[in-house]
Each structure stands twice: as structure tokens, then as C-alpha cells.
Amino acid sequence: MISTDILIIGAGPTGLFAVFEAGLLKLKCHIIDALPQPGGQLTELYPKKPIFDIPGFPSVFAGDLVTNLMEQIKQFQPGFTLNERAETIQKLEDGTFIVTTNKGTEHHAKAVAIAGGLGSFEPRKPLIEDIAFYEDKGVEYFVKDPELFRDKKIVIAGGGDSALDWTIFLANVAAEVTLVHRRNEFRGALDSVEKVQELKSLGKVRLITPAEVTGIHGAEKVEALDLDIEGAHQRIEADYFIPLFGLTPKLGPIANWGLEIEKNAIKVNNALDYQTNIEGIYAIGDVNTYPGKLKLILCGFHEATLMCQSVYNRINPGKKYVLKYTTVSGVDGFDGTRKEAEKQVVKAIE
């Protein structure tokens, strides 16, 4: 069983920043996320799209923001349970919690912070007959390990950033990469579109548009795909089919935890600490709701900060904590590092 002070459900920007704020209070964090990598929507849906409302950054790519957040929290050594969904929760007599994932991984925590964004993400699956049979037998909705596709024939379907980015990356891994999109136009970063165009010109990527994958063939695994190309039908060989049509957010099993829900969001006490109706369980970021709620990353950062202060007081009743600016106190990481401002030069003026 994994033990921690704060169990954070959701590895999006709010959940990641909560690790930093908890670390300043010497609280250990562990994060659960249903996606195979940290970052939430920022990583999975639009890693190369700029964000304009992060304080101090006139513009920052979503993927770069996640990279920076991961670097910021590295010194506090958080644990991660990725590609698993928080399934059940049990509150013990001592006020702590046991959270179990859909794969049976158990976590023991003194407090739980739900930072699940819009909920757990489920891939949007194309309406293809028998596609469920081929899942994990050649149909992959996420690229968890690129080496799985080494020297294989793969077909990617989609027209957004994820489809473009993985087409570019896997062009140097797979034996053959085909990108299928139902339109001629792509909704992704311009540099990614241009890179795919360049790979197509070099013969490293096959581009088929406008077209759709309509069928899958193979006795035990994917062996071929049917395409509809403007009314014409074509069958192509394939070892893997990767449909990347985005993700559908769902509150999922958390909706059955006894929390007060309003319009698919968790009601919290925003006057104090973003705690839910169950003491010791908090909800921060887009997953919560309260009067005047704004679904902004910077609001999630604020909520994470107050949540951590509340957890500290809950774990250490009666213990006085004096908040200090990091510019004055520096930052002591769990890994033994210390970051602090350079000392001022003391020099007399002659």
C-alpha cells in the first residue's frame, strides 16, 4: 500500500502545483491519474497551444507549462500512479482514507484532494464495428510506449495536435506511418502541420485525406483497415490503428463517493479551504463549483494553496505555522536541495 500525506487525484496543472505548495509545508504527495502521463488536458489535448493567462508568462505553450511544473515539484519527490483511475474510497475511524484504483492499487492518505479537472478522461472511440474486440490487440487510444510500434505499420486517425505530434514522432520509429483525416484541413499547431507536410514530401509519412477508417480486419489482432476515401473503398495493411479523436471528460466513480454534486462538479466551501461535504476530502481546480467559480488555471493554483494550508492544520492540530515568503525563507526540497536568493552584497560606500 502506498502511504502519503495528501493523495491528489488528477495530474493536471492544479494537481501538480499542489505538490509544490504541500512541499513548502513538508507534506508528502502522491498523484493518481487515468492518463499515462502527467499534464491532464494540457498534455493530452493541446500541448503545443499557447496559454495567455498564466501570471508572468505573456505566452506559454501548454506542454512547456507542464514541463516547468514538473521541474518545480521534482525537489519534493512526489509519487505517481498513472494510467489508473481512482475507483473507491474508504474513510477510516482515524479520519484517514484508503483509495483504490481500477487496477487494485491501494493508497493510504491523511487527506484527499480531487484535482481531476473536468473529470477522468475517456477516449472518444470511432463508431467502427467490433472495435472493442481489437482494443489492446492493435487498437491503441494512447501512445504509452513508442517502442511498441518499432518497425510496425501504423495508421493514425485524427486532425488535431495529438495526431500530428505522434505522426511526426513515430515517423522515425515505425516502419510505415499513415495519417488519415476526414478533412483536408488540420486543427493543430502550424509548425506541426508544416512538419507533416515535409515528412509526406520526403516519403516518410503517407497522408490520406479526406478519408475515414470504417472497418478493422484480423483473426486475433489488427491486420488491415478499411478506408472510405470520398466514397471509394480501400483496404490497407496495418499492425496498429491509433484513433486520436480527443477525450471525453467524465466525473466517473468519484460521483459515487457521497460528495455533493452540482452539474457534474463537486460543491466545496470556497469561503475557507475548498473542502467538500466530507471532512478531509477537498476539490480544487475545474472539478469543483461554488458561487462565482471561474475555470481558470490560475484560480486552481490559488485553491491548491489554501487547500494545502488547511491540510497542514488538519494533520497538525494546534501546531502554529508561520507563512514565510519563499524569497525570504528559500525552498528546502525533500531531496536535500536548498534554493534561496543570493545574499545581498555588503559594501561600504567610500
Side-chain angles (χ1 to χ4, degrees):
M1 185 178 296
I2 297 169
S3 296
T4 189
D5 293 321
I6 306 177
L7 181 66
I8 300 171
I9 300 172
T14 295
L16 295 178
F17 186 69
V19 174
F20 177 78
E21 287 297 321
L24 295 180
L25 299 168
K26 306 302 181 189
L27 299 177
K28 188 73 175 176
C29 292
H30 191 92
I31 302 180
I32 298 175
D33 200 285
L35 294 174
Q37 68 285 312
Q41 298 179 63
L42 274 64
T43 298
E44 191 60 35
L45 298 185
Y46 45 88
K48 290 195 173 182
K49 288 194 180 299
I51 301 173
F52 300 103
D53 58 358
I54 303 298
F57 289 91
S59 173
V60 59
F61 286 120
D64 291 344
L65 178 60
V66 172
T67 299
N68 290 342
L69 286 166
M70 290 293 289
E71 180 64 26
Q72 185 179 31
I73 66 175
K74 183 171 64 175
Q75 60 197 316
F76 295 123
Q77 302 176 316
F80 287 91
T81 298
L82 299 175
N83 206 31
E84 298 186 31
R85 183 181 63 242
E87 195 80 12
T88 63
I89 190 168
Q90 176 188 3
K91 189 171 185 178
L92 306 181
E93 291 184 4
D94 62 359
T96 62
F97 300 89
I98 301 291
V99 174
T100 306
T101 71
N102 60 316
K103 295 184 179 179
T105 307
E106 293 185 326
H107 306 76
H108 181 223
K110 298 173 183 175
V112 174
I114 302 171
L118 299 174
S120 63
F121 288 104
E122 301 292 335
R124 290 194 177 99
K125 302 180 181 182
L127 299 176
I128 298 175
E129 187 177 358
D130 296 329
I131 191 170
F133 172 79
Y134 293 101
E135 291 173 358
D136 296 323
K137 301 174 186 175
V139 171
E140 302 287 341
Y141 299 108
F142 301 104
V143 180
K144 303 168 188 174
D145 180 10
E147 285 300 313
L148 180 67
F149 310 104
R150 174 72 64 182
D151 301 326
K152 301 295 184 181
K153 295 179 179 179
I154 67 170
V155 175
I156 297 174
D161 283 313
S162 292
L164 291 167
D165 290 346
W166 284 119
T167 296
I168 294 167
F169 186 90
L170 294 175
N172 295 317
V173 176
E176 182 181 289
V177 177
T178 301
L179 176 59
V180 177
H181 184 38
R182 60 182 178 174
R183 298 187 181 92
N184 291 318
E185 299 79 24
F186 289 84
R187 299 183 63 182
L190 180 60
D191 63 323
S192 296
V193 176
E194 292 176 344
K195 182 64 175 177
V196 170
Q197 178 66 57
E198 179 184 349
L199 290 170
K200 177 191 174 186
S201 301
L202 294 172
K204 293 186 176 181
V205 165
R206 178 167 54 168
L207 186 62
I208 304 178
T209 62
E212 291 186 78
V213 176
T214 57
I216 306 174
H217 300 275
E220 297 181 358
K221 62 182 184 62
V222 173
E223 296 177 6
L225 301 175
D226 285 337
L227 303 184
D228 184 319
I229 309 172
E230 295 187 300
H233 298 282
Q234 179 181 339
R235 183 171 295 183
I236 61 174
E237 293 182 357
D239 298 307
Y240 287 96
F241 173 42
I242 310 174
L244 298 173
F245 297 137
L247 304 170
T248 300
K250 295 181 180 179
L251 203 53
I254 291 174
N256 303 317
W257 287 6
L259 302 169
E260 192 172 355
I261 307 294
E262 181 180 287
K263 294 181 179 179
N264 206 43
I266 303 170
K267 291 187 69 174
V268 294
N269 174 11
N270 68 305
L272 184 61
D273 54 11
Y274 305 97
Q275 199 160 188
T276 68
N277 58 302
I278 300 177
E279 185 181 352
I281 301 179
Y282 302 76
I284 54 178
D286 288 357
V287 76
N288 74 15
T289 186
Y290 52 83
K293 169 67 179 181
L294 293 176
K295 292 183 182 295
L296 297 172
I297 294 175
L298 64 92
C299 294
F301 290 168
H302 161 78
E303 294 164 11
T305 303
L306 296 188
M307 177 275 295
C308 290
Q309 296 286 328
S310 176
V311 172
Y312 179 88
N313 291 327
R314 184 171 184 273
I315 294 176
N316 303 284
K319 186 175 180 180
K320 183 69 173 177
Y321 172 76
V322 180
L323 177 66
K324 296 180 181 178
Y325 297 113
T326 55
T327 49
V328 176
S329 61
V331 177
D332 292 312
F334 292 172
D335 59 1
T337 61
R338 177 168 178 78
K339 297 180 180 178
E340 57 184 341
E342 294 183 7
K343 302 298 183 183
Q344 297 295 321
V345 175
V346 179
K347 181 175 172 62
I349 299 177
E350 298 178 355

